[in-house]
């Protein structure tokens, strides 16, 4: 079974206003779960070779994982999480 090579960042806003900034590594198996009611969700895909310079970790370190971007050890990742967390998801309002 070929491995999905997608990796990226996800900014999502839940119905209660809670905002999450996640980093999702390449998936190696399918997972299923009950979805949460989201007001908005923005996914940004990263091109090959950009994970290390942007997040401070190689993509191989994220394989099969989804975690809060701010939990990565690199200062760049924490700063990016802070910057993305408060972006307005509706470009018409910004």
């Amino acid at each position: 079974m070929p491995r999905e090579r997608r990796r990226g960042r996800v900014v999502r806003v839940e119905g209660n206003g809670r905002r999450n900034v996640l980093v999702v590594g390449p998936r190696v198996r399918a997972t299923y779960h009950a979805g949460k009611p989201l007001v908005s969700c923005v996914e940004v895909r990263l091109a090959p070779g950009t994970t290390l310079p942007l997040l401070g970790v190689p993509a191989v370190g994220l394989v099969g994982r989804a975690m809060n971007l701010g939990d990565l050890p690199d200062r760049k990742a924490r700063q990016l999480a802070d910057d993305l967390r408060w972006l307005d998801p509706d470009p018409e309002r910004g």
Side-chain angles (χ1 to χ4, degrees), residues 1 11 33 36 41 44 46-48 50 58 60-63 69-70:
M1 174 181 288
V11 181
H33 58 86
K36 294 181 182 181
C41 181
V44 179
L46 301 177
T50 59
V60 70
L62 300 171
V63 170
L69 181 58

Side-chain angles (χ1 to χ4, degrees), residues 19-84:
R19 293 172 175 253
N20 296 304
V21 181
L22 307 171
V23 61
V24 180
R27 289 186 272 176
V28 293
R29 66 177 187 192
T31 58
Y32 301 94
H33 58 86
K36 294 181 182 181
L38 299 175
V39 173
S40 72
C41 181
V42 177
E43 180 178 334
V44 179
R45 292 185 182 187
L46 301 177
T50 59
T51 306
L52 183 59
L54 285 176
L55 306 180
V57 295
V60 70
L62 300 171
V63 170
R65 299 174 67 190
M67 60 189 298
N68 286 318
L69 181 58
D71 290 345
L72 291 176
D74 194 89
R75 181 187 58 79
K76 293 181 284 189
R78 292 190 304 272
Q79 182 62 51
L80 184 59
D82 287 341
D83 292 345
L84 292 173

